[in-house]
Amino acid sequence: MIKRVHLDHAHMQHLLKAMIRIRRFEAKCVELYQAQKILGFLHLYDGEEAVSVGVMEALTQDDAVIATYREHGQALARGVDPKCLMAEMMGKLNGCCRGRGGSMHFFDRARRFYGGNAIVGGGMPLALGVALADKMQGRSAITACFFGEGAVDEGEFHETLNLASLWRLPILFVCENNLYSMGMAVERAEADIDFVHKASGYRVAGEKVDGMDVVAVESAARNAIDRIRSENEPYFLECRTYRFRAHSMFDAQLYRSKDEVEVWRKKGPIVRFQTWLEANRLIKPEELATIEEEVDKEIAAAVAFAEAGPLEPVSELERFVTMEEVPS
Amino acid sequence: MNAPQATAAATRLTYREACKQALRDALLSDPRVFLMGEDIGRYGGCYAVTKGLLEEFGEERIRDTPLSESAFVGAGVGSAMVGMRPIVEIMTVNFSLLALDQIVNNAVTIPHMSGGQFAIPLVIRMTTGGGRRVAAQHSRSLEGWYAHIPGLRVLTPATVEDARFMLKGALADPNPVIIFEHVMLYNMEGDLPSDMKEVDIAHAKVRRAGRDVSLITYGGSLFKTLQAADALASEGIEAEVIDLRVLRPLDTKSILDSVAKTRRCVIIDEGWRSGSISAEVGMRIAEEGFFELDAPLRRVCSREAPIPYAAHLEDACLPQAATIVAVARELVRPS
């Protein structure tokens, strides 16, 4: 049901560009990782772009986001500056967190982006607090709480859904179900893999959406947010998606077949949307070329910004362990 | 216990009442303050600290929570990121283990990891300690664990004045603060000077001055230590009793000043000896005050076992005044 997505020419290009930006940003990250300019873990969002892009389209700047550790796409789709993100990836002072968080811990106060969180499910209770504080302070904001299906294994998922429902908090739960928590297939981890059904156990209404279809995600998210506002209660979206690449750069992918990955790649969010646009003559080749060129420029600028960025002086290592004041 | 008689310029009250007045004050003085925890509202608080607050402040600000420690502590962290001043009560330190991820991985990590974009002005209150015959899973003293973690302030009010005013200081701190209320102190009475409006939350305090040996302690062990000091005095040994009050950041200077004066030191800690706050205090003396010492450092800690239910076993497990006396005496006058 496509209800409130106005698929005009500009919006279609915008959605496609947002997904291509994430894909190419991460492709560059892989190069920089191989060149050892990015270290540690690199959890790629490759294949899942439609989820963040679709959901973020439905949010306003007043809304809040709780992200996961696979949050490059979530941050970019939220509008966090790719330059600050790339600098963060490279551990530079001009990164969004001064190079202290790296790939798994992007924060951006100005965009109400309350953190990538590298403890699976660890961000979910934060969503309760953000939504509660907004409500208690009279703001009508929504908190979008992203988590993978692996978080459903954790107690925090259940505690959080229960409290969100009990306290009628305006939270949009976005389950990015990519079918594997690291190497653990969802059906090997969960007795009931119907997550919408699980949510209903806490009286949280929800629906499944094709997470490889950006328009379907945006549409579902817009409907969900309308419903959160009108019913004054949380809502649950299960976005079925797939991670094309390894869990991290250390993953030999023994737990799934190459054929399976290939089947999903054919359903990829970018190839699918782009093919549809092209088949219906909704995008011209030169428009696509322009999008790709602009994205490449943005990313080149981000890399240049990151490369030129200074390192945080070691003398500041303990700064912000305790804060002098609460930032306003 | 060992509290002096009330004078004209003081009010006599229990530690429990002091905690409650502190909470009430906080709620009255700052609309951003709200309370969350298990049975703090309709039940009145497991230890009756919050009794009456629900009726006065309503359900929005006195939030009863389900038994979901991780979720409601995390909700405290999240709300602190967005302008509120939550005071979260965890019924006991033992249950805080279920919320450890939110405390350790979120509350104390986010300010630093976000490059200073967020402070977490969160106060967590919890009871600690043994002595109530409730066995191992309700009797732990894990405040030393929390004192291990950079980014936290760890307070251990042992007196009525600290119970009354440490919360105010904790709420003014832009960082997460844990206040450990020893479970055996709630019924203790003490005098609150009527002109007292605040206490500092940075320094240790000399609770009894002495020249012969420093007895360094905190929390529920303070009054056992003061009893021990009385007993030692009757033998002609003048012990100085230091109440650490703040386990993190540790007030090393007050510790070293006392040891420089007495040249002997016993550390009394209801935590287990291995890897404890007593170990940290001792090591700081060893690092920075070694040449002031005339005798080896000594400790009186809990026996290294889960705290048992049976009264004689529990008593044997926990630091007691008689043990403190014996250890201090042996240090000052070796047999």
Side-chain angles (χ1 to χ4, degrees), chain A residues 96-97 100 105 107-109 112 114 117 119 122 125 129 132 136-137 139 156 159 167 317 319-323, chain B residues 60 63 66 68 70-71 74-75 77-79 82 84 101-102 105-106 112-119 151 174-175:
Chain A
C96 61
C97 301
R100 285 149 170 228
H105 305 292
F107 288 80
D108 186 348
R109 184 186 183 87
R112 303 204 74 195
Y114 295 110
N117 200 308
I119 307 296
L132 178 64
M136 288 178 82
Q137 292 170 103
R139 290 187 288 265
E156 279 69 14
E159 294 188 6
W167 289 353
L317 193 148
R319 192 173 169 200
F320 309 125
V321 170
T322 52
M323 299 288 287
Chain B
E60 275 283 298
R63 287 188 171 262
S68 304
S70 188
V77 177
S79 66
V82 189
M84 298 301 283
D101 176 52
Q102 292 301 319
N105 280 319
N106 282 342
H112 187 264
M113 193 166 66
S114 69
Q117 292 183 69
F118 298 96
N175 301 295

Side-chain angles (χ1 to χ4, degrees), chain A residues 133-203:
Chain A
D134 278 344
K135 193 175 173 183
M136 288 178 82
Q137 292 170 103
R139 290 187 288 265
S140 61
I142 304 271
T143 298
C145 177
F146 286 79
F147 55 99
E149 90 291 343
V152 179
D153 306 353
E154 301 278 3
E156 279 69 14
F157 170 88
H158 303 273
E159 294 188 6
T160 300
L161 259 77
N162 179 54
L163 260 178
S165 179
L166 194 68
W167 289 353
R168 300 181 76 92
L169 296 175
I171 300 177
L172 174 60
F173 290 104
V174 183
C175 177
E176 297 182 324
N177 181 4
N178 68 12
L179 308 180
Y180 293 91
S181 45
M182 208 160 115
M184 188 67 168
V186 60
E187 65 274 7
R188 296 178 60 226
E190 286 290 320
D192 175 5
I193 58 168
D194 183 344
F195 297 132
V196 173
H197 179 238
K198 276 186 201 284
S200 73
Y202 300 103
R203 297 180 181 271

Side-chain angles (χ1 to χ4, degrees), chain B residues 280-295:
Chain B
E280 181 61 27
V281 170
M283 193 62 203
R284 291 202 188 190
I285 296 169
E287 283 176 333
E288 297 178 51
F290 184 77
F291 294 107
E292 306 291 346
L293 291 171
D294 283 347

